[in-house]
Amino acid sequence: MAQIPNLDNSPLNLKSFREQSQKDLVDILKNIRGKKCLVIDPKLSGSISLIIQTTILRENGAELRHLSAEPVQTDCTKVVYLVRSEFSLMRFICSNIHHDTSQGLQREYYVYFVPRREVVCEKVLEEENVHNLVTIGEYPLYMVPLDEDVLSFELDLANKECLVDGNTSSLWHIAKGIHKLESSFGVIPNVRAKGKASVRIADILNRMQAEEPVNSSDMVMPEINTLILIDREVDMVTPMCSQLTYEGLLDEFLHINNGAMELDSSIMGVQQEGKKMKVPLNSSDKLFKEIRDLNFEVVVQVLRQKATSMKQDYTDMTTTHQTVSELKDFVKKLNSLPEMTRHINLAQHLSTFTSKHSFQSRLDMEQTLVEAQSYDICYDYIEELIHKQEPLVTVVRLLILFSITNSGLPKKNFDHLRRELLHSYGFEHIAMLNNLEKAGLLKKQESKGNWLTIKRNLQLVTEDTDTTNPNDIAYVFSGYAPLSIRLVQHAVRSGWRPMEETLKLLPGPHSEMKRGGFSSSSSFDTLHGASAAVDRVADGRRSLVLVVFIGGVTFAEISALRFLSAQEAMAYDMIIGTTKIVNGNTLTQTYMEKLG
């Protein structure tokens, strides 16, 4: 099965969007005649693999290598570097070129920056005296379709850069990516933003539209009706909770990267000692599309039912006389056998984690933290984890959840846990603690918190959640409705106005605006169910909402949005944009620097 996702069923024509990115890259290669060595920044290789097959790159005369400090080993006389605009990568390129020069190798060098060139990088090339040997260009890849309804800007550190480093360059990148979408699909008339970064992106987007207007005159109706921008900072509770959907759990325990997992082949039932296998996970796999958003408890039942049904069909085949049409149906079912085997193996492997007592007790503790009613129990539990030297990322994740839901820790407790943590894991982690404090994720309590009010107003905790036939988004965490998705739910139904008071309790400002001369079109505020027929795109498709998370989104939140979109009362489709797909561990790790 191809790793490049099939985008045929996307609510937006993402296929043409991806084809343009393919064409841009092929044009770069075609313009450099003859054989060339394409040296790719390792962080970009995942994104590139979702855009174009390596066979196409080879057909265009490219030999493929990864950029590293080591010299490039190739017979080609033309070397093309495809890199992000990062200072450290310039050092690698300079070192490669210096090595070639010292060896008397005559080569042509090309550096293509993704998505755009930066003065600071060119300065390094100048200082190292290689600028005159290099031809510089840009490959404007601002976002990558991970699946038919998910776009990623592939900005791993956007959350930490904004909250800790004060580096907001990612905001321009995100706005530019959205503006590129508007060039293809029309100016988005309604924009709702919550959080400091989101409000800023909305402003940059307006400025871009003023400076490089998207021509909307020939479009009867823009394809995307509403853009909702949400900062991860607005809701740091959700990613710190353990996801309980199938795809969410796969990411928590086995880590999905660019729509694929790399696993020991033994997990997939292939007995090859020490061999790794790449397992693609996207909607091209029909069974995965069916079960990815379900609560894991339900997935096990679904797989069991499908296996039983297949077994019954096989028994019928061998014991009764079958018509040709029945034989054909049976063979069709057999075609799905590899998918069945793949997911039974994965589910079985996941069960080895989810059945552990430590996992169950952590889930109970997360529920207690979210309910924010039993301070002492939570405090003792985290202190015990520190003394047992449980993985640092697990401890910090719960500590962040504890701090946010209590609006910080009393000074005495704060100082004590901080000291215990450094004693237990090493004083080099003081840099991490400073990062967390700077980001407001771990702090001293200064006033009474408002988490209980937010939880009540947005009905974040639901009793007796039915995970088999869910009627609310809370099924993705077995009882906790993700705050971020509750905000989207309200933003789509009635805009920000009716919930002003609750929004003020959450971090950062909010804004709401109409753009692009479409303010006379029927307002999206009225969009529920049948009354929204007027808001349909001209060809009868449902209206489209683009929800963008600045700082990352979890698979469980994506599942919750898909669940919302599938409800009868909702008359819209959703596309999700994110700086990166994250989970509690990967998000926490971006803050985990060590001193020295």
Side-chain angles (χ1 to χ4, degrees):
M1 187 179 72
Q3 191 186 333
I4 294 189
N6 182 338
L7 302 176
D8 290 347
N9 295 319
S10 175
L12 199 61
N13 189 356
L14 293 181
K15 206 171 176 184
S16 70
F17 196 71
R18 181 173 67 192
E19 280 163 3
Q20 185 56 52
S21 298
Q22 273 179 10
K23 183 181 177 301
D24 290 345
L25 187 50
V26 168
D27 286 349
I28 287 171
L29 296 177
K30 279 184 175 166
N31 289 336
I32 301 166
R33 293 181 181 280
K35 277 193 73 179
K36 72 279 296 178
C37 181
L38 181 62
V39 184
I40 301 175
D41 169 355
K43 273 270 182 85
L44 283 176
S45 58
S47 307
I48 301 295
S49 70
L50 290 167
I51 291 290
I52 194 164
Q53 276 151 338
T54 50
T55 48
I56 298 175
L57 297 175
R58 290 198 182 102
E59 281 163 14
N60 284 281
E63 235 180 53
L64 303 181
R65 298 282 184 277
H66 271 152
L67 177 64
S68 72
E70 298 300 309
V72 177
Q73 301 294 332
T74 179
D75 295 331
C76 299
T77 55
K78 293 172 183 179
V79 180
V80 186
Y81 292 98
L82 194 62
V83 292
R84 291 162 301 138
S85 299
E86 287 221 350
F87 187 82
S88 57
L89 302 176
M90 296 306 104
R91 292 273 177 239
F92 286 165
I93 293 172
C94 293
S95 139
N96 281 185
I97 296 174
H98 286 320
H99 172 270
D100 290 354
T101 312
S102 70
Q103 297 293 308
L105 293 169
Q106 294 275 307
R107 283 178 174 163
E108 288 176 32
Y109 302 99
Y110 300 83
V111 176
Y112 278 87
F113 288 108
V114 183
R116 63 173 182 149
R117 61 207 284 174
E118 302 233 346
V119 176
V120 65
C121 291
E122 294 186 50
K123 205 104 185 113
V124 178
L125 300 177
E126 269 176 47
E127 284 166 8
E128 293 282 336
N129 294 321
V130 298
H131 199 261
N132 55 342
L133 301 174
V134 171
T135 304
I136 289 176
E138 291 179 337
Y139 174 41
L141 184 68
Y142 285 91
M143 46 168 69
V144 178
L146 295 182
D147 216 325
E148 53 192 30
D149 56 354
V150 184
L151 288 160
S152 175
F153 297 95
E154 289 302 295
L155 297 164
D156 314 28
L157 301 173
N159 188 263
K160 177 187 172 274
E161 284 175 351
C162 288
L163 296 185
V164 178
D165 309 331
N167 175 357
T168 54
S169 59
S170 57
L171 307 189
W172 186 92
H173 177 128
I174 296 160
K176 183 70 178 172
I178 297 169
H179 194 56
K180 274 193 82 171
L181 273 181
E182 291 188 310
S183 306
S184 303
F185 306 111
V187 177
I188 304 169
N190 303 293
V191 179
R192 289 170 190 153
K194 172 63 186 164
K196 218 184 310 181
S198 292
V199 167
R200 223 165 133 194
I201 289 168
D203 290 342
I204 297 170
L205 206 49
N206 272 353
R207 207 162 63 237
M208 283 178 175
Q209 174 58 11
E211 289 165 11
E212 313 164 36
V214 169
N215 184 10
S216 50
S217 57
D218 52 332
M219 295 195 185
V220 186
M221 195 92 172
E223 288 202 44
I224 303 168
N225 186 304
T226 296
L227 167 65
I228 298 169
L229 295 154
I230 293 185
D231 280 21
R232 183 72 279 168
E233 185 194 12
V234 171
D235 170 21
M236 282 296 281
V237 167
T238 298
M240 295 305 146
C241 295
S242 299
Q243 306 170 70
L244 295 175
T245 56
Y246 179 46
E247 191 168 18
L249 274 172
L250 284 172
D251 190 43
E252 293 274 358
F253 290 115
L254 303 172
H255 193 50
I256 301 169
N257 192 21
N258 295 112
M261 295 185 301
E262 201 164 279
L263 304 174
D264 286 338
S265 56
S266 58
I267 294 170
M268 303 311 289
V270 179
Q271 296 310 319
Q272 283 177 312
E273 200 59 44
K275 194 174 185 300
K276 294 275 188 190
M277 270 182 83
K278 204 155 199 180
V279 182
L281 290 171
N282 58 47
S283 48
S284 306
D285 174 340
K286 290 188 176 63
L287 177 57
F288 183 60
K289 188 176 180 178
E290 184 186 332
I291 61 177
R292 70 195 305 181
D293 302 316
L294 304 179
N295 189 293
F296 185 55
E297 289 174 5
V298 183
V299 170
V300 176
Q301 295 164 23
V302 170
L303 291 173
R304 192 179 293 121
Q305 284 162 4
K306 285 185 180 291
T308 309
S309 154
M310 203 171 257
K311 194 176 173 187
Q312 185 58 49
D313 288 344
Y314 180 74
T315 309
D316 293 347
M317 279 291 301
T318 52
T319 55
T320 60
H321 185 68
Q322 303 287 312
T323 66
V324 174
S325 149
E326 285 168 333
L327 282 172
K328 197 175 167 188
D329 287 345
F330 180 65
V331 170
K332 211 181 214 172
K333 276 190 179 176
L334 278 184
N335 287 340
S336 66
L337 199 55
E339 291 180 357
M340 277 283 291
T341 311
R342 180 187 304 128
H343 293 294
I344 286 170
N345 283 330
L346 286 173
Q348 189 179 355
H349 188 61
L350 273 187
S351 299
T352 62
F353 297 105
T354 57
S355 58
K356 282 181 183 165
H357 174 69
S358 56
F359 179 70
Q360 294 302 327
S361 72
R362 197 172 96 203
L363 287 186
D364 291 344
M365 184 45 58
E366 286 172 6
Q367 194 69 28
T368 310
L369 285 163
V370 166
E371 286 174 4
Q373 306 280 21
S374 319
Y375 181 90
D376 291 340
I377 294 172
C378 301
Y379 180 81
D380 293 344
Y381 182 85
I382 292 173
E383 190 179 31
E384 190 185 333
L385 290 184
I386 293 171
H387 292 161
K388 283 182 178 172
Q389 290 200 312
E390 290 289 333
L392 181 58
V393 69
T394 308
V395 175
V396 174
R397 195 171 162 172
L398 286 172
L399 201 48
I400 291 171
L401 198 51
F402 191 32
S403 179
I404 293 170
T405 52
N406 284 284
S407 211
L409 282 71
K411 185 180 183 317
K412 190 175 139 197
N413 293 162
F414 176 89
D415 291 339
H416 176 72
L417 282 184
R418 204 172 184 279
R419 199 164 48 246
E420 292 296 292
L421 201 129
L422 292 174
H423 276 299
S424 220
Y425 297 95
F427 283 88
E428 66 272 23
H429 293 292
I430 198 156
M432 171 197 74
L433 291 173
N434 290 342
N435 285 341
L436 293 171
E437 282 180 62
K438 210 169 172 187
L441 299 177
L442 181 59
K443 60 181 186 179
K444 293 183 185 122
Q445 203 175 63
E446 286 163 2
S447 57
K448 194 178 177 299
N450 48 32
W451 173 252
L452 291 174
T453 314
I454 294 164
K455 188 183 71 159
R456 188 180 60 247
N457 290 0
L458 294 173
Q459 295 172 304
L460 298 183
V461 175
T462 61
E463 298 295 321
D464 308 320
T465 306
D466 183 350
T467 52
T468 313
N469 297 301
N471 58 3
D472 184 72
I473 56 173
Y475 85 92
V476 298
F477 288 101
S478 295
Y480 161 68
L483 192 163
S484 54
I485 311 305
R486 276 281 192 258
L487 292 181
V488 173
Q489 217 173 349
H490 284 279
V492 163
R493 275 200 193 130
S494 47
W496 291 145
R497 220 162 301 126
M499 56 177 312
E500 288 270 354
E501 292 314 306
T502 305
L503 283 175
K504 284 174 188 167
L505 301 176
L506 294 163
H510 59 278
S511 70
E512 191 160 8
M513 62 177 100
K514 291 210 172 287
R515 309 163 62 231
F518 284 96
S519 46
S520 56
S521 71
S522 54
S523 167
F524 195 72
D525 294 352
T526 61
L527 198 148
H528 335 41
S531 67
V534 287
D535 258 326
R536 288 179 181 244
V537 180
D539 63 5
R541 278 176 300 151
R542 306 204 301 168
S543 268
L544 195 53
V545 180
L546 171 63
V547 185
V548 177
F549 294 86
I550 291 89
V553 69
T554 62
F555 281 115
E557 288 168 298
I558 292 173
S559 293
L561 284 172
R562 286 181 183 138
F563 174 82
L564 276 187
S565 185
Q567 300 312 294
E568 274 181 42
M570 297 296 187
Y572 54 85
D573 285 319
M574 286 194 183
I575 293 262
I576 298 114
T578 180
T579 47
K580 189 76 181 166
I581 304 270
V582 296
N583 59 46
N585 287 359
T586 57
L587 198 51
T588 302
Q589 278 158 353
T590 60
Y591 293 91
M592 289 173 74
E593 286 178 61
K594 282 187 188 178
L595 274 187

